[in-house]
Amino acid sequence: MRSPAPPSAPGLTERRTRWPHTLNRYVLLSRQTANGTSPVSAYFLNRQLTPHGVSPDRVRAGRVLGEALATGADPLHLTAIFGLSETTAVKYAPLARQRLNEPTGQEPCRAP
């Protein structure tokens, strides 16, 4: 199984600038985790996201849907990359296909 590639997002520019030599594969880093290989804590995530009305589950769902959009909505790929069950991965595939076929400017579909 290959490691997930970091997504292309504006926030990653700051991550690469602040910690250009980190070996940590996780997208979100803190001062404590940038020098190691462990993820940030649930406390850190909630403290950073809650003031903006976002939950860690919503971030993960967005990442999974983004990967599905980028890779042609292949459920097997999503299972391998994110460790999803087959049932959950299959739920993302039609959402991604629907999103890929939507004309721009329409309301985005919700991830499971």
Side-chain angles (χ1 to χ4, degrees), residues 3-29:
S3 296
S8 298
L12 289 181
T13 302
E14 180 182 348
R15 179 190 189 276
R16 288 186 193 113
T17 301
R18 187 175 282 189
W19 298 292
H21 304 292
T22 185
L23 298 177
N24 196 318
R25 66 183 181 95
Y26 292 96
V27 175
L28 300 175
L29 298 177

Side-chain angles (χ1 to χ4, degrees), residues 9-52:
L12 289 181
T13 302
E14 180 182 348
R15 179 190 189 276
R16 288 186 193 113
T17 301
R18 187 175 282 189
W19 298 292
H21 304 292
T22 185
L23 298 177
N24 196 318
R25 66 183 181 95
Y26 292 96
V27 175
L28 300 175
L29 298 177
S30 69
R31 282 180 270 175
Q32 288 77 27
T33 64
N35 294 320
T37 57
S38 61
V40 295
S41 68
Y43 173 79
F44 177 86
L45 276 177
N46 286 320
R47 188 163 181 212
Q48 299 299 313
L49 298 175
T50 301
H52 302 287

Side-chain angles (χ1 to χ4, degrees), residues 57-80:
D57 289 338
R58 186 170 177 187
V59 172
R60 180 172 169 77
R63 291 241 9 221
V64 173
L65 186 57
E67 183 71 15
L69 289 168
T71 60
D74 178 10
L76 184 58
H77 176 76
L78 298 177
T79 300

Side-chain angles (χ1 to χ4, degrees), residues 57-58 60-62 64-65 84 87-96 109-112:
D57 289 338
R58 186 170 177 187
R60 180 172 169 77
V64 173
L65 186 57
L84 300 175
T87 304
T88 302
V90 167
K91 289 179 184 178
Y92 278 97
L95 289 173
C109 57
R110 296 267 182 218

